[in-house]
Amino acid sequence: MNRTEPVSELSEDGFLPHTSHWGVFSARMKDGELEVRPHPGDPDPNGIIQNFPAALRHRARIAQPMIRRGWLENGPGPDEKRGRDDYVPVSWTQALDLLGAELLRLRDGPGPGAIFGGSYGWASAGRFHHAQSQIHRFLNVACGGYVRSVNSYSSGSSQVLVPHIIGDYEDLTKRNVSWEQIAEHSEIVLAFGGMALKNSMVAGGSVSKHVERGAMKRAAQRGCAFVLAGPLRSDLPEEAKAEWLSCIPGSDTALMMGLVHTLVVEGRHDRAFLDRCTVGWPVFERYLLGETDGQPKDAAWASGITGVAADEIVALARRLHGKRALIVVAHALQRAEHGEQPVWMGMVLAAALGQIGLPGGGYGYALGAIAYYGRRFNAVPVPTFSQGKNGVADYIPVARISDMLLHPGESYRYNGQTRTYPDIKLVYWAGGNPFHHHQDLNRLRRAFARLDTLVVHELAWTATARHADIVLPCTMTLEREDIGGSSNDPLLVPMHPIVPPYGEARDDYAIFADLAERLGAREAFTEGRSVRQWLEHLYEPTREGLAAKGLPAPSFAEFWGSEGYILPQQPDDGGRLRAFRDDPQGKPLPTPSGKLEIFSETIAAFSEADCPGHPTWLGATNVPDAETPYVLAATQPRPRLHSQFDFGGHSGAAKYRGREVARMHPDDATLRGISDGDIIRLHNERGACLAGVVLTDGIRRGVIQLPTGAWYDPVDPHDDKPLCVHGNPNVLTRDVGTSALAQGCTGQLTTVQVERFDGNLPPINAYEPPAGA
Ligand SMILES: Nc1nc2c(c(=O)[nH]1)N[C@H]1C(S)=C(S)[C@@H](COP(=O)(O)OP(=O)(O)OC[C@H]3O[C@@H](n4cnc5c(=O)[nH]c(N)nc54)[C@H](O)[C@@H]3O)O[C@H]1N2
Ligand SMILES: Nc1nc2c(c(=O)[nH]1)N[C@H]1C(S)=C(S)[C@@H](COP(=O)(O)OP(=O)(O)OC[C@H]3O[C@@H](n4cnc5c(=O)[nH]c(N)nc54)[C@H](O)[C@@H]3O)O[C@H]1N2
Ligand SMILES: [Mo]
């Protein structure tokens, strides 16, 4: 591959521009050490970039292609030894020959419908080397396609629900209420699940300015009130000067109903807005008032479910009324059983307040969850690598992977359809870590054991790599050249290579190009371009877009020699929701009725008991009981993105005795004989893990928080439910869909028991390469 040498003339001190999902930065090698520094224009840089230095040459990196011994000796086929076997280092030629033959066997035998290439995951920044784009293009071009996955672990239920009730998902999340509007206009922000700065530190692709802290600070200084409803006080930053309404996880829908009920009985709901801009209010109102089921959803009722005093609910409803009020619902709320309901009810609350479409008011779903919400879109296209056309129509909702592998041929419901799980023989992953993102990991192991072949491209020995039959080592961004950017961040960044690849690691592109050769498709895959030629090619639409606007349109060479290029952005005009509010007849929403749907005939006609035609309090099946009396909130981790560079210095510094740190309330700890600094064991019927513990009154009693992302580290890999000694909460979470409507991931909440761990503390082996490697 054509790889340019680092262009050190660019900067006098040798720092070269680069970017990541956690911020734009520059980097250099000095005395054999990597140094990184954030972009000087970033007002609130993110410490996660400090994971790079220790990660770069960490022993957890993969140096050479590896094949699992059982697969090498016995060939493809189901095998319980996945995750328990040793590895045999092989040459690139041998690895690609064996994999090419296996792909041909399937493509020309059962066909590409036996290949699962969903390959969900965040991969790395970079518009060309984006791993999902690379793998999908490869499978399309060389194998005739693959079974894909739809939706995400982030927003599995809202992505399905929102088109039925509000319209376009991006109009709601990305072209609606901005941080600029909050700073200037909002008078009260009620955030369910908060807007934690730890979360808005990241954005897929790139982020050049972290603006959230500053915007909340400006709003609060202007007098805007922030109210946080949720189990964790730290979900809004100190700068917001927020009031904390501590509520029971999973109860938000009832809290919102109590608020709307109060508005209605006090005549404070905006009837004119409801009449003009929504459908179905009368049906919902009958339910709300208890006319259909005998139970008014009043503040007293909501209090019993949420743990919030009734008078607090009434007072909050009165405060919301008549103000420029913004309702925020975090992604986390819908990553749980019946996750559709709080998303739907949040819209109803904002509609009852009559605020949707006003500057700084209305419904800011997912605002603050990631740094690409609440910003502006670029006015010119950013480089995009074409994935080609998939010849296989079949797909699964992304979080149903274990169900698919364990139940081929069985049927399931999704978005009004009855669908059938395909019979998958080979799973191919590049750029994701299912042993990070999926639930009930011990079940996932059983699912992967059923495959003929599992192929993984990875830069490090994640648990997913350790379960694979063929492990192909790939580069990380600092070892390759690319263009960094995102469709709603203005800075387009030339990503320079800082160091040569680790060991024999290769770019995903180079791996797929050589593999395509073995399937007779090299030319179709590469189109004869080197990496540099691809970058120039992908940059061209951006340059043309700039020229068409009469703006300076630098050549690729000029762009490449720059520190980055600032693209023009679209106005912050409230998007389609503002236009709809201003003219509901002339600018209808893309819903069946053209309005906000408080009652959806479409969803009602699906007849799903777990997702009726309007927001409904459905209770929960997974509630605390004598055996598992605590609610575990498995949240996003602060010091890293998901499981990425868990072995980096910034991530490691946040651990306690090498383990992930849980938080619990001191009163709960006392009851269980647990003290600050103990190691605890969390467990339920699905599994168990160890963690450090910090006691804090910033968490609601009865709730334990354990962030995701510690690499799965089973102490006895031969056991069916091994103890994860490192603190991966997904050994505990439930692998069930949110509802038959969306089948989204429910990983956020589960019930557990906890106790002090007094046994001999097992060592952490998560970052040690497996035997043979
Ligand atoms: N219990 C629970 N579980 C959750 C969540 C939760 O709230 N609770 N959150 C969920 C959410 S929102 C998400 S989005 C998922 C995230 O799940 P993932 O996106 O799967 O997690 P990552 O750790 O980002 O995995 C990306 C992997 O890609 C690898 N990688 C990076 N760059 C490259 C590259 O260039 N090429 C290749 N081949 N590989 C590369 C990294 O090393 C890493 O292993 O997790 C979900 N899981
Ligand atoms: N640093 C960092 N930032 C990230 C990520 C990361 O891995 N690391 N991941 C990114 C990704 S891919 C995504 S999708 C977003 C996810 O964004 P979210 O899903 O919103 O993030 P979480 O941290 O899982 O949850 C936010 C908060 O919701 C609260 N919460 C949990 N359950 C409930 C509930 O039932 N009710 C209420 N009211 N509150 C509840 C918890 O206290 C938690 O701190 O984060 C992104 N940001
Ligand atoms: Mo996500």
Side-chain angles (χ1 to χ4, degrees), residues 48 120 122 153-155 191-194 196 198-202 229-232 235 247-252 330-333 335 369-370 633-642 705 708 748-749:
I48 300 182
Y120 180 80
W122 267 62
Y153 280 74
S154 319
S155 51
F192 294 88
K198 71 167 170 63
N199 287 353
S200 52
M201 279 176 180
V202 311
L232 218 66
D235 285 336
C247 61
I248 295 173
S251 72
D252 305 82
H331 273 327
L333 274 67
R335 202 176 300 113
I370 305 184
T635 60
Q636 314 305 306
R638 181 188 54 78
R640 60 182 171 267
L641 173 70
H642 309 305
Q705 182 208 18
T708 53
Q748 180 79 199
L749 301 177

Tab-separated table of all heavy atoms in Angstrom, residues 48 120 122 153-155 191-194 196 198-202 229-232 235 247-252 330-333 335 369-370 633-642 705 708 748-749, ligand 2:
chain	number	residue	atom	x	y	z
A	48	ILE	N	-9.801	11.528	27.272
A	48	ILE	CA	-9.709	10.166	26.719
A	48	ILE	C	-8.562	10.044	25.707
A	48	ILE	O	-8.014	8.962	25.524
A	48	ILE	CB	-11.064	9.719	26.119
A	48	ILE	CG1	-12.150	9.725	27.214
A	48	ILE	CG2	-10.968	8.311	25.534
A	48	ILE	CD1	-13.517	9.246	26.741
A	120	TYR	N	-21.455	-4.718	14.036
A	120	TYR	CA	-21.789	-3.490	14.768
A	120	TYR	C	-20.605	-3.008	15.609
A	120	TYR	O	-19.907	-3.824	16.218
A	120	TYR	CB	-22.987	-3.730	15.701
A	120	TYR	CG	-23.355	-2.486	16.466
A	120	TYR	CD1	-24.111	-1.495	15.861
A	120	TYR	CD2	-22.899	-2.269	17.762
A	120	TYR	CE1	-24.423	-0.326	16.531
A	120	TYR	CE2	-23.208	-1.103	18.442
A	120	TYR	CZ	-23.961	-0.139	17.816
A	120	TYR	OH	-24.263	1.027	18.478
A	122	TRP	N	-18.244	0.818	17.041
A	122	TRP	CA	-17.803	2.205	16.842
A	122	TRP	C	-16.511	2.321	16.056
A	122	TRP	O	-16.166	3.400	15.605
A	122	TRP	CB	-17.654	2.897	18.195
A	122	TRP	CG	-18.891	3.620	18.600
A	122	TRP	CD1	-20.121	3.068	18.829
A	122	TRP	CD2	-19.026	5.034	18.794
A	122	TRP	NE1	-21.013	4.057	19.169
A	122	TRP	CE2	-20.370	5.278	19.175
A	122	TRP	CE3	-18.159	6.113	18.728
A	122	TRP	CZ2	-20.851	6.559	19.450
A	122	TRP	CZ3	-18.640	7.386	19.012
A	122	TRP	CH2	-19.980	7.591	19.359
A	153	TYR	N	-27.183	-0.191	19.359
A	153	TYR	CA	-27.312	-0.410	20.805
A	153	TYR	C	-27.621	0.909	21.515
A	153	TYR	O	-28.173	0.915	22.600
A	153	TYR	CB	-26.026	-1.028	21.367
A	153	TYR	CG	-25.940	-2.512	21.122
A	153	TYR	CD1	-25.651	-3.004	19.848
A	153	TYR	CD2	-26.199	-3.444	22.124
A	153	TYR	CE1	-25.605	-4.356	19.598
A	153	TYR	CE2	-26.150	-4.805	21.877
A	153	TYR	CZ	-25.848	-5.260	20.616
A	153	TYR	OH	-25.814	-6.608	20.369
A	154	SER	N	-27.256	2.010	20.871
A	154	SER	CA	-27.483	3.325	21.460
A	154	SER	C	-28.964	3.626	21.575
A	154	SER	O	-29.447	4.038	22.616
A	154	SER	CB	-26.853	4.406	20.575
A	154	SER	OG	-25.617	4.004	20.097
A	155	SER	N	-29.674	3.461	20.467
A	155	SER	CA	-31.034	3.986	20.354
A	155	SER	C	-31.953	2.937	19.726
A	155	SER	O	-32.773	3.258	18.881
A	155	SER	CB	-31.010	5.254	19.509
A	155	SER	OG	-30.326	5.004	18.297
A	191	ALA	N	-34.249	17.222	32.606
A	191	ALA	CA	-33.480	16.192	31.905
A	191	ALA	C	-33.633	14.842	32.610
A	191	ALA	O	-33.120	14.660	33.720
A	191	ALA	CB	-32.017	16.597	31.824
A	192	PHE	N	-34.331	13.932	31.960
A	192	PHE	CA	-34.479	12.573	32.484
A	192	PHE	C	-33.223	11.778	32.115
A	192	PHE	O	-32.935	11.590	30.939
A	192	PHE	CB	-35.727	11.901	31.896
A	192	PHE	CG	-37.007	12.549	32.340
A	192	PHE	CD1	-37.548	13.623	31.645
A	192	PHE	CD2	-37.672	12.090	33.468
A	192	PHE	CE1	-38.724	14.230	32.061
A	192	PHE	CE2	-38.848	12.690	33.895
A	192	PHE	CZ	-39.376	13.765	33.195
A	193	GLY	N	-32.489	11.358	33.131
A	193	GLY	CA	-31.215	10.682	32.859
A	193	GLY	C	-30.073	11.673	32.649
A	193	GLY	O	-28.937	11.274	32.426
A	194	GLY	N	-30.376	12.961	32.728
A	194	GLY	CA	-29.339	13.983	32.692
A	194	GLY	C	-28.702	14.188	31.330
A	194	GLY	O	-29.177	13.702	30.302
A	196	ALA	N	-24.880	14.037	31.006
A	196	ALA	CA	-23.590	13.942	31.690
A	196	ALA	C	-22.459	14.337	30.746
A	196	ALA	O	-22.408	13.873	29.610
A	196	ALA	CB	-23.383	12.520	32.197
A	198	LYS	N	-19.516	13.400	30.815
A	198	LYS	CA	-18.705	12.238	30.438
A	198	LYS	C	-19.201	11.655	29.108
A	198	LYS	O	-18.424	11.095	28.346
A	198	LYS	CB	-18.743	11.152	31.528
A	198	LYS	CG	-20.091	10.427	31.620
A	198	LYS	CD	-20.008	9.156	32.469
A	198	LYS	CE	-21.375	8.560	32.776
A	198	LYS	NZ	-22.167	8.089	31.657
A	199	ASN	N	-20.495	11.813	28.834
A	199	ASN	CA	-21.050	11.227	27.610
A	199	ASN	C	-20.868	12.131	26.396
A	199	ASN	O	-20.544	11.655	25.310
A	199	ASN	CB	-22.535	10.922	27.788
A	199	ASN	CG	-22.757	9.715	28.687
A	199	ASN	OD1	-21.804	9.042	29.060
A	199	ASN	ND2	-23.990	9.458	29.032
A	200	SER	N	-21.091	13.428	26.580
A	200	SER	CA	-20.992	14.315	25.415
A	200	SER	C	-19.544	14.614	25.054
A	200	SER	O	-19.269	15.400	24.161
A	200	SER	CB	-21.775	15.606	25.665
A	200	SER	OG	-21.379	16.192	26.883
A	201	MET	N	-18.603	13.958	25.725
A	201	MET	CA	-17.199	14.100	25.359
A	201	MET	C	-16.890	13.417	24.037
A	201	MET	O	-15.852	13.663	23.444
A	201	MET	CB	-16.321	13.433	26.420
A	201	MET	CG	-16.108	14.290	27.633
A	201	MET	SD	-15.158	13.334	28.806
A	201	MET	CE	-15.028	14.524	30.117
A	202	VAL	N	-17.751	12.491	23.613
A	202	VAL	CA	-17.418	11.703	22.425
A	202	VAL	C	-18.408	11.976	21.298
A	202	VAL	O	-19.546	12.362	21.541
A	202	VAL	CB	-17.382	10.186	22.736
A	202	VAL	CG1	-16.561	9.897	23.962
A	202	VAL	CG2	-18.774	9.617	22.875
A	229	ALA	N	-33.796	14.439	36.613
A	229	ALA	CA	-34.553	13.300	37.129
A	229	ALA	C	-33.773	12.041	36.819
A	229	ALA	O	-33.534	11.728	35.650
A	229	ALA	CB	-35.939	13.250	36.490
A	230	GLY	N	-33.346	11.330	37.866
A	230	GLY	CA	-32.563	10.128	37.624
A	230	GLY	C	-31.917	9.637	38.895
A	230	GLY	O	-32.019	10.289	39.943
A	231	PRO	N	-31.230	8.501	38.820
A	231	PRO	CA	-30.662	7.904	40.021
A	231	PRO	C	-29.285	8.429	40.416
A	231	PRO	O	-28.785	8.076	41.481
A	231	PRO	CB	-30.562	6.420	39.639
A	231	PRO	CG	-30.386	6.421	38.156
A	231	PRO	CD	-31.137	7.616	37.642
A	232	LEU	N	-28.677	9.271	39.572
A	232	LEU	CA	-27.276	9.650	39.791
A	232	LEU	C	-27.106	11.162	39.706
A	232	LEU	O	-27.366	11.761	38.669
A	232	LEU	CB	-26.443	9.004	38.671
A	232	LEU	CG	-25.089	8.457	39.022
A	232	LEU	CD1	-25.245	7.275	39.962
A	232	LEU	CD2	-24.397	7.996	37.746
A	235	ASP	N	-25.166	13.167	36.805
A	235	ASP	CA	-25.607	13.172	35.407
A	235	ASP	C	-25.839	14.567	34.841
A	235	ASP	O	-26.112	14.711	33.651
A	235	ASP	CB	-26.862	12.295	35.230
A	235	ASP	CG	-26.520	10.806	35.258
A	235	ASP	OD1	-25.363	10.465	34.958
A	235	ASP	OD2	-27.404	9.997	35.585
A	247	CYS	N	-35.031	9.572	41.320
A	247	CYS	CA	-36.171	8.681	41.051
A	247	CYS	C	-35.675	7.271	40.764
A	247	CYS	O	-34.516	7.046	40.440
A	247	CYS	CB	-37.024	9.209	39.907
A	247	CYS	SG	-36.161	9.349	38.348
A	248	ILE	N	-36.589	6.341	40.906
A	248	ILE	CA	-36.258	4.930	40.716
A	248	ILE	C	-36.016	4.672	39.225
A	248	ILE	O	-36.825	5.081	38.393
A	248	ILE	CB	-37.411	4.045	41.243
A	248	ILE	CG1	-37.537	4.234	42.761
A	248	ILE	CG2	-37.226	2.588	40.862
A	248	ILE	CD1	-38.745	3.530	43.372
A	249	PRO	N	-34.905	4.010	38.867
A	249	PRO	CA	-34.662	3.727	37.456
A	249	PRO	C	-35.835	2.951	36.853
A	249	PRO	O	-36.445	2.107	37.520
A	249	PRO	CB	-33.396	2.859	37.481
A	249	PRO	CG	-32.725	3.180	38.770
A	249	PRO	CD	-33.823	3.515	39.736
A	250	GLY	N	-36.141	3.267	35.621
A	250	GLY	CA	-37.218	2.569	34.924
A	250	GLY	C	-38.594	3.135	35.202
A	250	GLY	O	-39.592	2.641	34.649
A	251	SER	N	-38.686	4.172	36.040
A	251	SER	CA	-40.003	4.698	36.426
A	251	SER	C	-40.363	6.010	35.718
A	251	SER	O	-41.410	6.588	35.985
A	251	SER	CB	-40.036	4.940	37.942
A	251	SER	OG	-39.234	6.077	38.286
A	252	ASP	N	-39.518	6.481	34.815
A	252	ASP	CA	-39.691	7.826	34.244
A	252	ASP	C	-41.035	8.033	33.559
A	252	ASP	O	-41.597	9.129	33.608
A	252	ASP	CB	-38.560	8.104	33.244
A	252	ASP	CG	-37.209	7.921	33.879
A	252	ASP	OD1	-36.746	6.755	33.963
A	252	ASP	OD2	-36.615	8.902	34.321
A	330	ALA	N	-32.687	10.935	28.101
A	330	ALA	CA	-31.411	10.311	27.730
A	330	ALA	C	-31.659	8.992	27.002
A	330	ALA	O	-32.633	8.286	27.275
A	330	ALA	CB	-30.561	10.063	28.972
A	331	HIS	N	-30.728	8.660	26.104
A	331	HIS	CA	-30.774	7.351	25.444
A	331	HIS	C	-30.949	6.225	26.465
A	331	HIS	O	-31.631	5.237	26.207
A	331	HIS	CB	-29.449	7.082	24.732
A	331	HIS	CG	-29.349	7.612	23.336
A	331	HIS	ND1	-30.396	7.709	22.465
A	331	HIS	CD2	-28.257	8.031	22.640
A	331	HIS	CE1	-29.964	8.178	21.293
A	331	HIS	NE2	-28.669	8.392	21.386
A	332	ALA	N	-30.303	6.396	27.618
A	332	ALA	CA	-30.266	5.306	28.605
A	332	ALA	C	-31.661	4.789	28.947
A	332	ALA	O	-31.853	3.599	29.160
A	332	ALA	CB	-29.568	5.800	29.884
A	333	LEU	N	-32.649	5.699	28.993
A	333	LEU	CA	-33.993	5.305	29.429
A	333	LEU	C	-34.627	4.295	28.487
A	333	LEU	O	-35.475	3.495	28.894
A	333	LEU	CB	-34.912	6.534	29.522
A	333	LEU	CG	-34.881	7.316	30.832
A	333	LEU	CD1	-33.568	8.003	31.056
A	333	LEU	CD2	-36.017	8.327	30.864
A	335	ARG	N	-32.848	2.115	26.745
A	335	ARG	CA	-32.033	0.904	26.662
A	335	ARG	C	-32.438	-0.012	27.809
A	335	ARG	O	-31.627	-0.477	28.598
A	335	ARG	CB	-30.545	1.283	26.718
A	335	ARG	CG	-29.613	0.233	26.119
A	335	ARG	CD	-28.158	0.674	26.092
A	335	ARG	NE	-27.991	1.885	25.312
A	335	ARG	CZ	-27.626	3.061	25.831
A	335	ARG	NH1	-27.348	3.172	27.110
A	335	ARG	NH2	-27.523	4.123	25.061
A	369	ALA	N	-26.168	13.182	24.999
A	369	ALA	CA	-25.700	11.796	25.071
A	369	ALA	C	-24.399	11.629	24.299
A	369	ALA	O	-23.551	10.819	24.657
A	369	ALA	CB	-26.754	10.841	24.524
A	370	ILE	N	-24.252	12.376	23.225
A	370	ILE	CA	-23.085	12.289	22.356
A	370	ILE	C	-22.889	13.698	21.806
A	370	ILE	O	-23.851	14.454	21.686
A	370	ILE	CB	-23.316	11.273	21.196
A	370	ILE	CG1	-23.710	9.897	21.747
A	370	ILE	CG2	-22.080	11.150	20.307
A	370	ILE	CD1	-23.864	8.801	20.718
A	633	ALA	N	-27.325	-0.121	37.274
A	633	ALA	CA	-27.307	0.746	36.088
A	633	ALA	C	-25.946	0.570	35.424
A	633	ALA	O	-24.919	0.971	35.970
A	633	ALA	CB	-27.542	2.201	36.474
A	634	ALA	N	-25.953	-0.073	34.262
A	634	ALA	CA	-24.712	-0.334	33.517
A	634	ALA	C	-24.548	0.777	32.496
A	634	ALA	O	-25.041	0.698	31.381
A	634	ALA	CB	-24.767	-1.703	32.849
A	635	THR	N	-23.853	1.831	32.905
A	635	THR	CA	-23.791	3.084	32.136
A	635	THR	C	-22.550	3.143	31.250
A	635	THR	O	-21.703	2.252	31.285
A	635	THR	CB	-23.729	4.264	33.118
A	635	THR	OG1	-22.548	4.100	33.908
A	635	THR	CG2	-24.932	4.292	34.043
A	636	GLN	N	-22.440	4.256	30.507
A	636	GLN	CA	-21.236	4.468	29.700
A	636	GLN	C	-20.080	4.849	30.631
A	636	GLN	O	-20.274	5.567	31.610
A	636	GLN	CB	-21.434	5.591	28.682
A	636	GLN	CG	-22.737	5.526	27.915
A	636	GLN	CD	-22.967	4.216	27.219
A	636	GLN	OE1	-22.128	3.772	26.451
A	636	GLN	NE2	-24.097	3.584	27.471
A	637	PRO	N	-18.877	4.400	30.285
A	637	PRO	CA	-17.710	4.704	31.126
A	637	PRO	C	-17.164	6.112	30.852
A	637	PRO	O	-17.137	6.550	29.702
A	637	PRO	CB	-16.693	3.654	30.686
A	637	PRO	CG	-17.036	3.367	29.255
A	637	PRO	CD	-18.527	3.551	29.136
A	638	ARG	N	-16.687	6.792	31.885
A	638	ARG	CA	-16.102	8.122	31.699
A	638	ARG	C	-14.734	8.102	31.018
A	638	ARG	O	-14.504	8.866	30.088
A	638	ARG	CB	-15.980	8.829	33.064
A	638	ARG	CG	-15.408	10.233	32.989
A	638	ARG	CD	-15.114	10.816	34.357
A	638	ARG	NE	-14.256	9.951	35.173
A	638	ARG	CZ	-12.935	9.844	35.022
A	638	ARG	NH1	-12.304	10.554	34.113
A	638	ARG	NH2	-12.235	9.027	35.787
A	639	PRO	N	-13.801	7.235	31.442
A	639	PRO	CA	-12.422	7.429	30.980
A	639	PRO	C	-12.078	6.745	29.658
A	639	PRO	O	-10.901	6.615	29.323
A	639	PRO	CB	-11.603	6.826	32.117
A	639	PRO	CG	-12.478	5.751	32.659
A	639	PRO	CD	-13.899	6.164	32.439
A	640	ARG	N	-13.051	6.278	28.916
A	640	ARG	CA	-12.766	5.654	27.618
A	640	ARG	C	-14.072	5.616	26.836
A	640	ARG	O	-15.146	5.894	27.385
A	640	ARG	CB	-12.240	4.218	27.794
A	640	ARG	CG	-13.236	3.351	28.492
A	640	ARG	CD	-12.784	1.928	28.759
A	640	ARG	NE	-13.802	1.339	29.619
A	640	ARG	CZ	-13.760	1.322	30.947
A	640	ARG	NH1	-12.691	1.778	31.568
A	640	ARG	NH2	-14.751	0.850	31.638
A	641	LEU	N	-13.974	5.261	25.568
A	641	LEU	CA	-15.161	5.006	24.766
A	641	LEU	C	-15.390	3.497	24.788
A	641	LEU	O	-14.553	2.737	24.293
A	641	LEU	CB	-14.956	5.486	23.328
A	641	LEU	CG	-16.085	5.114	22.364
A	641	LEU	CD1	-17.354	5.900	22.667
A	641	LEU	CD2	-15.660	5.357	20.923
A	642	HIS	N	-16.507	3.096	25.384
A	642	HIS	CA	-16.858	1.678	25.446
A	642	HIS	C	-15.668	0.855	25.964
A	642	HIS	O	-15.122	1.172	27.008
A	642	HIS	CB	-17.348	1.177	24.079
A	642	HIS	CG	-18.417	2.035	23.503
A	642	HIS	ND1	-19.564	2.327	24.167
A	642	HIS	CD2	-18.506	2.706	22.323
A	642	HIS	CE1	-20.328	3.119	23.429
A	642	HIS	NE2	-19.713	3.377	22.310
A	705	GLN	N	-24.272	1.551	40.413
A	705	GLN	CA	-23.808	1.870	39.064
A	705	GLN	C	-22.514	1.122	38.796
A	705	GLN	O	-21.591	1.152	39.620
A	705	GLN	CB	-23.553	3.378	38.922
A	705	GLN	CG	-23.103	3.775	37.522
A	705	GLN	CD	-22.221	5.018	37.502
A	705	GLN	OE1	-21.661	5.411	38.516
A	705	GLN	NE2	-22.093	5.620	36.346
A	708	THR	N	-19.829	0.252	31.855
A	708	THR	CA	-19.445	-0.779	30.898
A	708	THR	C	-17.991	-0.582	30.471
A	708	THR	O	-17.415	0.476	30.711
A	708	THR	CB	-20.330	-0.686	29.645
A	708	THR	OG1	-20.276	0.663	29.162
A	708	THR	CG2	-21.765	-1.047	29.947
A	748	GLN	N	-29.136	-1.473	29.893
A	748	GLN	CA	-28.863	-0.449	30.907
A	748	GLN	C	-29.204	-0.910	32.327
A	748	GLN	O	-28.460	-0.642	33.255
A	748	GLN	CB	-29.649	0.826	30.558
A	748	GLN	CG	-29.453	1.968	31.524
A	748	GLN	CD	-28.157	2.748	31.341
A	748	GLN	OE1	-27.730	3.446	32.232
A	748	GLN	NE2	-27.522	2.630	30.193
A	749	LEU	N	-30.346	-1.594	32.487
A	749	LEU	CA	-30.818	-1.908	33.836
A	749	LEU	C	-31.016	-3.412	34.028
A	749	LEU	O	-31.548	-4.089	33.152
A	749	LEU	CB	-32.158	-1.214	34.106
A	749	LEU	CG	-32.194	0.316	33.995
A	749	LEU	CD1	-33.620	0.819	34.212
A	749	LEU	CD2	-31.234	0.966	34.982
B	2	LIG	N1	-17.069	8.774	27.930
B	2	LIG	C1	-17.938	8.111	27.159
B	2	LIG	N2	-18.976	8.777	26.592
B	2	LIG	C2	-19.877	8.106	25.835
B	2	LIG	C3	-19.747	6.726	25.563
B	2	LIG	C4	-18.656	6.040	26.180
B	2	LIG	O1	-18.486	4.823	26.021
B	2	LIG	N3	-17.783	6.753	26.972
B	2	LIG	N4	-20.666	6.097	24.754
B	2	LIG	C5	-21.423	6.945	23.829
B	2	LIG	C6	-22.557	6.253	23.242
B	2	LIG	S1	-22.260	5.153	21.981
B	2	LIG	C7	-23.843	6.518	23.572
B	2	LIG	S2	-25.119	5.751	22.750
B	2	LIG	C8	-24.164	7.480	24.620
B	2	LIG	C9	-25.175	6.861	25.574
B	2	LIG	O2	-25.822	7.824	26.304
B	2	LIG	P1	-26.726	7.329	27.521
B	2	LIG	O3	-27.347	6.029	27.190
B	2	LIG	O4	-27.645	8.413	27.873
B	2	LIG	O5	-25.572	7.148	28.620
B	2	LIG	P2	-25.480	6.293	29.963
B	2	LIG	O6	-24.220	6.749	30.625
B	2	LIG	O7	-25.584	4.852	29.697
B	2	LIG	O8	-26.725	6.762	30.805
B	2	LIG	C10	-26.883	8.108	31.215
B	2	LIG	C11	-27.435	8.148	32.614
B	2	LIG	O9	-28.758	7.666	32.637
B	2	LIG	C12	-29.044	7.321	33.976
B	2	LIG	N5	-30.109	6.324	33.969
B	2	LIG	C13	-30.007	4.996	33.766
B	2	LIG	N6	-31.224	4.420	33.806
B	2	LIG	C14	-32.113	5.414	34.036
B	2	LIG	C15	-33.534	5.463	34.196
B	2	LIG	O10	-34.252	4.474	34.093
B	2	LIG	N7	-34.078	6.692	34.421
B	2	LIG	C16	-33.348	7.821	34.531
B	2	LIG	N8	-33.975	8.972	34.735
B	2	LIG	N9	-32.006	7.795	34.409
B	2	LIG	C17	-31.409	6.622	34.155
B	2	LIG	C18	-27.771	6.814	34.589
B	2	LIG	O11	-27.598	7.406	35.866
B	2	LIG	C19	-26.709	7.243	33.585
B	2	LIG	O12	-25.623	7.887	34.186
B	2	LIG	O13	-23.010	7.853	25.357
B	2	LIG	C20	-21.923	8.196	24.512
B	2	LIG	N10	-20.901	8.810	25.318
